Amino acid sequence: MTSDTVYQEAYVWIWLPGRTEPVVAGLLSRSGRQLVFNYGRSYLARDDRISLYLPELPLETGVIPLLPGLDMPSCIRDASPDAWGRRVIINRKLGLKGDGAESIELDELTYLMESGSDRIGALDFQASPTSHVPRQRRSASLAELLQSADRVEAGVRLHPELDQALQHGTSLGGARPKALVDSEDRHYIAKFSASRDLYNVVKAEYVAMRLGALVGLSFAPVRLVQAMDKDVLLVERFDRTRTEAGWARRSMVSALTLFGLDEMMAPYASYEVLAELIRHRFANPARDLRELFARLSFNILCGNTDDHARNHAAFWDGTHLDLTPAYDVCPQSRIGNEASQAMLISGTNRMSRLTSVLEAAPNFLLDAYEAKEIVAGQIKTMRERWTQVCDEADLNETDRLLLWGRQFFNPYAFEGLEEEFG
């Protein structure tokens, strides 16, 4: 396609549960300023068909009306590239880099059709209803990532995604560079440092993710490697499962989709409402309510205030919803001690304090004793394992001092507590 291509439609393909090859589900097309979806008749005739997501896209014929306030189906918007992916597409199509690309936005259909096929979740977008031709057919290999310096020195070209992230990440601006990396038995998202980092954000995210797992939360497994003298965080993908026939993909929807909100309404998203949705719609509400409460507590203890509604997600199998493992849990820089969470905690309160969490415990069907036990257990484990995990990350003393007491265990988190924890 040329750089001035204006897409009018895209065929939506889906990997059905347990399957290793996609089938066409329907058509996403322009209707004025909106993008609307209708299922294909062949898909509706399948015995193994599933809704892309209920109640948003029920299995019915004809164009499906959008939910109020949306310009496209939110469950399809979930498959669009993130900030880094968008920056790469803008650079490829328009030649803009760095600050020049920050004010540019392309339309969602362009992002869907120009991004790679190995996207998050189980959807892809094609020009044809009969032939699925993957874009960026292969991800970079783990060996290629680890050998990148030798390859560049030898004049061997890197996989395009690695080249963008490793060698051109700084020139493309502040979005966090990423690439897809595979080994024989794992699929990873590789996350690299960004040009505007004020401290080692890659290692800080590793520390947070490892501590989250050590306190007993369901977190995506992570590991640290180096490539071309850069720290790289490998986050194991949980939306891919290996079967005897090959790799299957798991459908996912973001919390923003669960809420029925668009990007502009994201500030109104809340843990309270998400907990209500879990109580009524999830397959194992008691388990997932406890997990969500514990993640909220951990976010406050580690200084992750970027817990917006696209950083929470659920698996969708056509019938049931289940929380995915946690991801993108990273301590955030802050000015002063006071901080607030991206999502409301309860009512209009979003303040990053443990008192906010404990007061919200009934929303998660937890009594005061259970809630305090969860929080106290996290504090104890994080204190005990801090040095171990920092050593794993080879985190220098300067960054340890910067993170501890500032992002991790900021005094504001403990403000107002009537008793000592941990």
Side-chain angles (χ1 to χ4, degrees):
M1 295 290 181
T2 62
S3 62
D4 58 354
T5 298
V6 178
Y7 295 97
Q8 297 299 322
E9 62 184 25
Y11 288 94
V12 181
W13 290 65
I14 183 172
W15 279 256
L16 291 167
R19 302 299 181 90
T20 58
E21 296 294 335
V23 297
V24 66
L27 182 68
L28 184 70
S29 58
R30 292 190 186 277
S31 178
R33 295 186 176 182
Q34 298 178 327
L35 296 176
V36 294
F37 177 78
N38 65 280
Y39 287 104
R41 279 179 287 189
S42 63
Y43 184 76
L44 291 174
R46 296 181 65 96
D47 292 336
D48 59 351
R49 67 193 182 279
I50 67 169
S51 164
L52 300 193
Y53 175 62
L54 288 175
E56 186 173 41
L57 294 178
L59 290 165
E60 58 187 41
T61 59
V63 172
I64 300 172
L66 293 168
L67 295 180
L70 298 185
D71 292 326
M72 67 179 295
S74 187
C75 63
I76 293 178
R77 169 63 177 79
D78 284 338
S80 202
D82 64 5
W84 169 255
R86 290 169 184 250
R87 190 65 57 85
V88 170
I89 291 170
I90 290 169
N91 171 249
R92 186 172 68 235
K93 290 182 68 66
L94 305 178
L96 297 176
K97 301 180 180 180
D99 293 340
E102 287 192 352
S103 61
I104 300 297
E105 278 295 333
L106 304 175
D107 67 284
E108 289 299 331
L109 203 51
T110 297
Y111 287 131
L112 292 172
M113 289 295 287
E114 293 281 343
S115 50
S117 293
D118 194 15
R119 66 188 73 239
I120 298 300
L123 299 182
D124 193 28
F125 305 89
Q126 297 281 313
S128 168
T130 58
S131 176
H132 182 269
V133 181
R135 294 180 295 280
Q136 297 174 349
R137 180 175 297 273
R138 70 174 186 91
S139 299
S141 69
L142 182 58
E144 186 177 357
L145 170 66
L146 299 177
Q147 298 166 2
S148 56
D150 293 338
R151 293 172 68 89
V152 170
E153 187 175 346
V156 179
R157 289 190 177 186
L158 293 176
H159 181 278
E161 281 200 356
L162 279 186
D163 182 61
Q164 287 276 21
L166 275 171
Q167 302 204 89
H168 303 287
T170 300
S171 67
L172 288 185
R176 185 154 306 284
K178 298 178 182 177
L180 300 178
V181 173
D182 295 346
S183 65
E184 288 186 4
D185 59 350
R186 297 285 188 276
H187 286 206
Y188 299 100
I189 296 174
K191 304 175 76 169
F192 305 82
S193 58
S195 58
R196 299 175 186 178
D197 289 346
L198 300 178
Y199 59 95
N200 196 319
V201 176
V202 168
K203 287 187 175 181
E205 183 169 349
Y206 172 86
V207 170
M209 294 290 289
R210 282 285 292 124
L211 283 173
L214 289 170
V215 302
L217 295 173
S218 175
F219 271 37
V222 293
R223 58 183 288 201
L224 274 175
V225 299
Q226 277 211 330
M228 293 179 66
D229 296 322
K230 294 184 178 181
D231 294 309
V232 183
L233 179 69
L234 296 178
V235 184
E236 188 174 325
R237 295 183 65 172
F238 45 75
D239 61 336
R240 299 291 184 266
T241 56
R242 193 171 189 176
T243 71
E244 291 183 359
W247 287 94
R249 306 189 182 194
R250 300 191 69 178
S251 290
M252 292 168 47
V253 290
S254 70
L256 203 61
T257 292
L258 297 176
F259 295 138
L261 300 176
D262 69 0
E263 306 294 331
M264 298 300 293
M265 298 295 288
Y268 297 97
S270 79
Y271 283 94
E272 182 178 11
V273 175
L274 183 52
E276 183 178 359
L277 288 167
I278 290 173
R279 290 199 302 270
H280 294 293
R281 298 203 56 213
F282 277 52
N284 193 333
R287 178 198 64 195
D288 285 348
L289 284 169
R290 186 181 182 88
E291 174 76 16
L292 183 63
F293 175 88
R295 290 184 191 182
L296 170 56
S297 170
F298 184 81
N299 280 337
I300 289 175
L301 286 170
C302 78
N304 175 40
T305 55
D306 192 33
D307 55 342
H308 58 78
R310 287 208 184 277
N311 277 347
H312 298 274
F315 292 123
W316 167 250
D317 65 4
T319 305
H320 300 108
L321 289 162
D322 296 278
L323 277 183
T324 70
Y327 56 94
D328 286 354
V329 177
C330 184
Q332 303 294 308
S333 298
R334 60 208 290 173
I335 299 173
N337 285 333
E338 185 173 307
S340 59
Q341 299 305 118
M343 286 213 317
L344 294 162
I345 296 172
S346 183
T348 59
N349 178 21
R350 65 172 80 243
M351 304 314 294
S352 306
R353 296 183 299 189
L354 293 174
T355 53
S356 303
V357 181
L358 294 170
E359 289 166 3
N363 296 332
F364 302 86
L365 302 185
L366 297 171
D367 62 33
Y369 177 80
E370 291 174 304
K372 289 177 181 178
E373 284 288 294
I374 291 171
V375 174
Q378 290 184 351
I379 293 170
K380 182 176 185 293
T381 300
M382 291 172 73
R383 282 178 172 156
E384 290 175 348
R385 297 297 190 97
W386 170 256
T387 299
Q388 169 201 328
V389 175
C390 288
D391 288 347
E392 287 178 15
D394 195 23
L395 193 67
N396 65 42
E397 192 62 27
T398 299
D399 281 341
R400 295 187 196 204
L401 292 173
L402 175 68
L403 291 175
W404 187 260
R406 189 66 184 155
Q407 278 88 355
F408 291 85
F409 282 47
N410 188 288
Y412 184 69
F414 298 88
E415 189 175 292
L417 283 181
E418 296 179 357
E419 57 187 280
E420 183 67 24
F421 278 77

